[in-house]
């Protein structure tokens, strides 16, 4: 387990990479891929608003796409359509007829927090056991939680599995984009963003670049 607080996301990314490369265990997964892994890495970025991309990491166009990844139902991120999962995947039936009412979890969170600022129910999920237990490509991001405290929006994202070298930065900015959207609708500032990586790992193919601190 590894926990830390940093001011900026780019500093957190470097710190996690160093921890995994120096202290991670070698793990071979079900796809026969070799990784170095640390379980339960929890990092809080205290100043997400002023966090920037590591130099040379992504173009501004890709960054914009990542920041909209959890809001856009047409945008696939890491092979999964998270926007669709959050905004129109889940639902329920009404009456005698099969009538599926799609639930927009983003708007539901905004409503919860508008109705009760101290609510502990402003939580989203992406994992659907009815289909995800039966297919190969399943969400890595499984839950996002929001709390309003001290007139700020505190955000926590939980990844069951996270490619730290290849995806942590883009995942963070996706979470930041979602937090920005919700905070603007609540009329408050973005507070700290916490990323909990249950399996924080780096693939063997990235060992050299991660060790030499080379950006993607």
């Amino acid at each position: 387990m590894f926990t830390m607080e940093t001011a900026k996301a780019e500093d957190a990314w470097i710190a996690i990479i160093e921890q995994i490369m120096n202290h991670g265990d070698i793990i071979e997964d079900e796809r026969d891929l070799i990784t170095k892994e640390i379980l339960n890495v929890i990092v809080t970025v205290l100043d997400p608003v002023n966090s920037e991309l590591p130099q040379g990491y992504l173009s501004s166009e890709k960054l914009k796409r990542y920041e909209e990844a959890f809001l856009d139902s047409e945008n696939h991120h890491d092979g999964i359509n998270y926007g669709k999962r959050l905004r129109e995947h889940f639902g329920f039936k009404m009456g005698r007829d099969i009538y599926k009412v799609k639930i927009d979890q983003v708007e539901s969170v905004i409503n919860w927090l508008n109705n009760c600022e101290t609510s502990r129910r402003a939580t989203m999920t992406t994992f659907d056991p009815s289909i995800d237990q039966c297919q190969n490509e399943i969400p890595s991001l499984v839950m996002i939680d929001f709390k309003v405290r001290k007139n700020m929006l505190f955000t926590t994202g939980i990844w069951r599995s996270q490619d730290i070298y290849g995806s942590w930065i883009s995942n963070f900015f996706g979470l930041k984009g979602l937090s920005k959207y919700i905070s603007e609708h609540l009329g408050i500032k973005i507070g700290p963003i916490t990323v909990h990586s249950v399996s924080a790992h780096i693939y063997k193919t990235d060992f050299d670049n991660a060790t030499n601190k080379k950006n993607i």
Side-chain angles (χ1 to χ4, degrees), residues 70 77-78 159 162 167-176:
F70 301 149
H77 185 70
D78 291 344
W159 272 259
Q162 194 167 35
S167 297
W168 193 93
I169 283 289
S170 58
N171 291 164
F172 176 85
F173 279 92
L175 206 54
K176 176 185 173 183

Side-chain angles (χ1 to χ4, degrees), residues 112-113 116-123 145-147 149:
W112 276 117
L113 295 175
C116 178
E117 188 177 80
T118 58
S119 176
R120 293 187 290 266
R121 301 181 180 184
T123 301
D145 182 82
F146 300 90
K147 298 285 188 290
R149 300 291 187 269

